[in-house]
Amino acid sequence: MMKIDLHVHTSHGSGCAYMDPDQLVQKAKFVGLDGVCITEHDQLWSRDNIERLKIKHDFLVIGGVEVSTDFGHVLVFGLHDSVREVGTIRELRKIVNKEGGVMILAHPFRYEPDIIGAHFLSISNGSSSSKELEKVCKDPDFKLIDIMEVYNGRSGINEINFTALVAKRLGLKSVGGSDAHATLELGTSYTVFEKEIKDEEDFIAQLKSGQFFGVDDRWSEDLVSAHP
Ligand SMILES: [Zn+2]
Ligand SMILES: [Zn+2]
């Protein structure tokens, strides 16, 4: 079993982050993670730099990227060329298919507090669904992603629970990542993999096999199940 944080930013590639890559790995070890994925905004680390960090700390580091698209932020693994020119989720899907990578929709409802609020208001009187949930699930763009990031360290519990309901409804597997921009934020949300992962290739194979689940340690007993 391996605990991996699928979503981390560093000061090396994200201007908005405060943590340097060495601090990131040291803190990741300290909080009990077995690996981290570095996913800067629209920018990939070179394979050499990932490898250097991995060897320096004898710790699993995987290079990914958080791509901004017309369908929101997408964590992508398996790409090694620039993604700066990618604008739409459809274009991204084509590129990722060609490279045999994986697409994970990150914090899908971060900027939709009204939808989330209206949903929880409607179900507070006992109904199991809401018109907001039904409407969201009809969006055809969900067919273009492989996995949903349900557990995000920067999301609140309503956002996570709403995302879990959508993932369950759509039959999408869920993962967790801290979305940490500073060391203090590491270790809250992560993904548990059943098999050992040694490198990017193992990691992508495990994501495709579906043998993993997302975890959020902050509110475990208040979370709704995301299992389809
Ligand atoms: Zn994001
Ligand atoms: Zn992020």
Side-chain angles (χ1 to χ4, degrees):
M1 198 187 84
M2 288 187 88
K3 287 183 183 180
I4 302 180
D5 187 338
L6 266 57
H7 189 167
V8 178
H9 300 274
T10 77
S11 52
H12 182 78
S14 300
C16 50
Y18 301 101
M19 129 175 92
D20 80 42
D22 294 315
Q23 290 174 324
L24 156 66
V25 175
Q26 281 153 6
K27 185 67 191 284
K29 284 183 176 178
F30 179 76
V31 298
L33 291 167
D34 301 303
V36 289
C37 300
I38 296 179
T39 54
E40 316 286 15
H41 294 284
D42 301 303
Q43 193 181 326
L44 280 149
W45 277 39
S46 69
R47 283 189 202 239
D48 284 354
N49 284 340
I50 291 286
E51 206 52 33
R52 220 170 282 148
L53 191 62
K54 192 175 167 181
I55 290 165
K56 181 174 177 188
H57 296 277
D58 187 25
F59 190 75
L60 177 64
V61 180
I62 292 162
V65 57
E66 182 171 15
V67 184
S68 308
T69 75
D70 58 337
F71 193 50
H73 290 176
V74 183
L75 301 174
V76 183
F77 297 100
L79 292 188
H80 300 100
D81 295 322
S82 172
V83 288
R84 287 225 175 264
E85 305 302 317
V86 179
T88 68
I89 186 105
R90 269 164 211 284
E91 277 173 60
L92 183 63
R93 183 75 259 179
K94 274 188 210 151
I95 297 166
V96 174
N97 282 350
K98 215 186 287 168
E99 301 295 323
V102 175
M103 282 165 66
I104 302 173
L105 189 62
H107 52 73
F109 305 107
R110 171 148 305 164
Y111 310 108
E112 306 287 358
D114 295 344
I115 292 178
I116 296 168
H119 166 78
F120 285 104
L121 193 65
S122 337
I123 62 161
S124 62
N125 54 30
S127 76
S128 62
S129 190
S130 66
K131 66 175 190 305
E132 288 77 22
L133 180 67
E134 301 301 328
K135 189 172 172 222
V136 157
C137 289
K138 287 196 184 103
D139 193 325
D141 283 352
F142 281 114
K143 294 200 171 70
L144 298 169
I145 60 153
D146 302 305
I147 298 166
M148 192 97 106
E149 181 194 62
V150 170
Y151 310 100
N152 177 295
R154 301 191 135 202
S155 299
I157 189 151
N158 280 356
E159 188 186 326
I160 289 175
N161 279 341
F162 185 72
T163 312
L165 290 170
V166 174
K168 190 174 175 172
R169 186 71 72 93
L170 297 172
L172 286 167
K173 292 280 295 180
S174 51
V175 292
S178 66
D179 203 357
H181 290 61
T183 50
L184 209 62
E185 300 163 342
L186 282 169
T188 49
S189 309
Y190 51 89
T191 306
V192 175
F193 290 85
E194 289 167 22
K195 288 194 185 150
E196 205 198 338
I197 292 171
K198 287 194 224 69
D199 51 27
E200 182 189 291
E201 205 182 331
D202 287 350
F203 176 68
I204 290 173
Q206 286 307 301
L207 284 174
K208 288 184 175 174
S209 80
Q211 295 175 63
F212 57 82
F213 55 91
V215 174
D216 193 316
D217 278 341
R218 294 170 299 169
W219 304 286
S220 19
E221 65 269 33
D222 298 318
L223 293 173
V224 304
S225 166
H227 292 289

